Amino acid sequence: MKKELKKQSKDKQILKKHVAAIHIGAKLSLLQRKLVNALLYNAYEGLLTSREHQINASVLCEMIGFDSNNTNYLKASLKGLMETVVEFDVLEDDGKSSWEAMVLLPYVKLKDGVCTYRYEQALAEKLYHPDVYSKINLSVLRDMNSAHALVLYENCYRYVDIAHTPWWDVDVFRKLMSVDQMISYKQFKLLNRAVIQPAMKEVNELSNIQLELETKRKGRTVTGLRFIIRPNPQLSLVGMDSEDDVTQMPSYQALLAEGISKTLARAWALEHDEQYIFEKLDLASSQAASGKIRSSKAGFLKSAIEEDYHNEDAQKKKTLEAAQDRKSTREKLERKLEALKTTQREAETSYRWHTAEIIEEAFQRLSEDEREAVTAEFQLSLGSSIYASAFKKGGWKDRLTFPDIKKFWEARGVSLPSPAVWAQKKGSQEPDIIKAQIDELEEQLKQPVKLVKSK
């Protein structure tokens, strides 16, 4: 099941303060690592305000891809979390380091299909801070097959906004991967072959990011490593971003409006189609209006969805028709949005090629020695091997390094037109106008569609 992720903090200073800050002392199984993330995701919004947190056990099992009938194994895994110690090595503002340790999960209870649990207040405060805990993509978590791949994904995804991890000392990295006590991985080549490369392969194949390893050496010895992080263009996974495909669904928004929790609303939105959910919402509304619900409307709605209650009156037909209208309207807006995005991409490409022609002319006016020197100077300014490689393939027309190319040549005194001036000269729409239209349509598509009420 695909879950909601909050966007990472873009404060690079804060991110640096907690490099390699968290280490789980126990050697957790893959299932237990998934449990840690799923429980924390479920509790996150109430970490600082609620002493206890609850989640339906079947929803929890669905979140981590586990057979919910094997309750004994689930209990054993939860018990393992209660025996797990979490360590924090933090670099404070005064430059001094501090160390703290606490139990990961001090209390848990399973009763009537509901899992109740709590965190120590000190741990809850640390986990709530976004630069300490990075909410990962639970759809990725569910598909991971090895603990090393999951740990690597967790520790890299927190830096997705700055496109690379910090440099980790090799010993620190071994600790992050929970292999610091294994003598067989003391040699980096064995660690790389048996742990890093298989984990990277799984992350690159299954997740919404792709990783590239970089290393630092002292002589022939590898002393540090980091990972370059790029979006995976082959996968359009629904992650845990604050706005994703699920949170934009009218049925999800309508369930939240009825007081259903985000976790349960998401589970239902993924399990049932929109028409089904709107049928149950209308049934609950009509039953509540007629005074036939003895408990709560939310409780009746839960039973209606999970036990498939039916409403045979005309309201069902109206709801289905309204759902079709909503779908048709949304599809029209989506087609219009895609057309605008295509126009934007074509305009950006045309402008880039036009600018590259001006740059190429300036470049060709240089002597051969000057051209070699300018090319070397620009490549050196790129820093990352990914950007350098892209420039070698695309030259001055390369899309990835185009902003750097434009800035570099303008600094050398080459006059280049702005996108707005270029668009006016060509007689096309200005990029800012196109972007404003795209933003407006995207905002429209984020708005929930109101339910049609019976009269």
Side-chain angles (χ1 to χ4, degrees), residues 158-186:
R158 60 186 292 201
Y159 298 102
V160 68
D161 283 339
I162 57 175
H164 60 79
T165 68
W167 283 102
W168 283 313
D169 181 86
V170 174
D171 288 337
V172 170
F173 182 76
R174 288 192 185 97
K175 193 173 184 182
L176 284 174
M177 300 297 289
S178 296
V179 296
D180 50 307
Q181 301 300 318
M182 302 178 71
I183 298 176
S184 57
Y185 296 141
K186 287 296 181 183

Side-chain angles (χ1 to χ4, degrees), residues 320-354:
L320 294 176
E321 291 173 348
Q324 291 290 348
D325 290 340
R326 285 190 291 267
K327 182 180 179 182
S328 176
T329 300
R330 186 175 187 83
E331 287 175 346
K332 288 178 182 178
L333 290 174
E334 289 173 342
R335 287 194 295 269
K336 185 176 180 180
L337 176 62
E338 186 56 38
L340 276 173
K341 287 185 175 181
T342 299
T343 300
Q344 184 186 47
R345 287 193 296 269
E346 291 173 350
E348 289 173 348
T349 300
S350 182
Y351 170 71
R352 175 164 48 84
W353 279 67
H354 173 73

Side-chain angles (χ1 to χ4, degrees), residues 70-334:
N70 193 345
T71 54
N72 287 334
Y73 190 63
L74 178 61
K75 290 176 183 177
S77 297
L78 289 168
K79 183 180 178 182
L81 299 187
M82 298 177 69
E83 299 169 351
T84 298
V85 174
V86 183
E87 298 177 60
F88 290 87
D89 291 304
V90 180
L91 184 63
E92 304 288 0
D93 291 332
D94 59 6
K96 297 181 179 180
S97 62
S98 65
W99 174 83
E100 295 178 71
M102 55 201 75
V103 174
L104 177 60
L105 204 65
Y107 173 80
V108 64
K109 178 175 75 173
L110 283 174
K111 181 180 180 182
D112 297 332
V114 176
C115 178
T116 304
Y117 58 102
R118 70 174 71 119
Y119 298 101
E120 292 285 356
Q121 184 64 24
L123 180 59
E125 290 172 358
K126 290 184 180 297
L127 295 179
Y128 190 78
H129 209 288
D131 56 308
V132 176
Y133 171 64
S134 168
K135 283 187 174 182
I136 71 167
N137 184 314
L138 287 189
S139 62
V140 172
L141 177 152
R142 192 176 188 278
D143 293 335
M144 288 291 181
N145 297 312
S146 78
H148 289 155
L150 178 54
V151 174
L152 182 63
Y153 177 77
E154 289 173 338
N155 281 286
C156 289
Y157 192 81
R158 60 186 292 201
Y159 298 102
V160 68
D161 283 339
I162 57 175
H164 60 79
T165 68
W167 283 102
W168 283 313
D169 181 86
V170 174
D171 288 337
V172 170
F173 182 76
R174 288 192 185 97
K175 193 173 184 182
L176 284 174
M177 300 297 289
S178 296
V179 296
D180 50 307
Q181 301 300 318
M182 302 178 71
I183 298 176
S184 57
Y185 296 141
K186 287 296 181 183
Q187 292 186 41
F188 182 79
K189 65 178 182 179
L190 297 180
L191 176 72
N192 186 38
R193 184 174 63 197
V195 177
I196 299 176
Q197 292 302 321
M200 280 180 58
K201 184 175 186 294
E202 187 167 343
V203 170
N204 290 344
E205 289 178 353
L206 296 178
S207 84
N208 53 343
I209 59 173
Q210 295 213 315
L211 305 177
E212 177 182 337
L213 175 66
E214 290 189 344
T215 57
K216 279 183 179 178
R217 292 178 179 270
K218 186 174 183 180
R220 300 178 62 182
T221 304
V222 175
T223 58
L225 70 158
R226 74 172 183 176
F227 295 88
I228 303 300
I229 307 167
R230 293 175 294 164
N232 186 347
Q234 302 302 318
L235 295 178
S236 56
L237 296 172
V238 180
M240 290 171 58
D241 294 314
S242 57
E243 294 172 352
D244 61 22
D245 290 349
V246 176
T247 62
Q248 294 178 37
M249 292 173 64
S251 59
Y252 175 85
Q253 294 287 347
L255 288 168
L256 293 187
E258 293 295 340
I260 303 301
S261 70
K262 289 182 179 180
T263 303
L264 201 52
R266 181 177 286 271
W268 289 343
L270 289 169
E271 183 178 354
H272 304 288
D273 60 41
E274 296 234 301
Q275 290 185 4
Y276 180 92
I277 291 177
F278 281 121
E279 282 181 30
K280 309 313 176 192
L281 284 164
D282 285 340
L283 176 58
S285 295
S286 63
Q287 292 293 303
S290 62
K292 296 180 180 179
I293 297 179
R294 295 181 179 179
S295 57
S296 68
K297 184 179 178 182
F300 178 88
L301 180 59
K302 184 176 186 298
S303 298
I305 290 177
E306 295 181 350
E307 299 177 29
D308 194 15
Y309 290 2
H310 290 281
N311 184 8
E312 303 297 336
D313 60 22
Q315 186 61 40
K316 177 178 178 180
K317 183 178 179 181
K318 290 181 180 180
T319 302
L320 294 176
E321 291 173 348
Q324 291 290 348
D325 290 340
R326 285 190 291 267
K327 182 180 179 182
S328 176
T329 300
R330 186 175 187 83
E331 287 175 346
K332 288 178 182 178
L333 290 174
E334 289 173 342

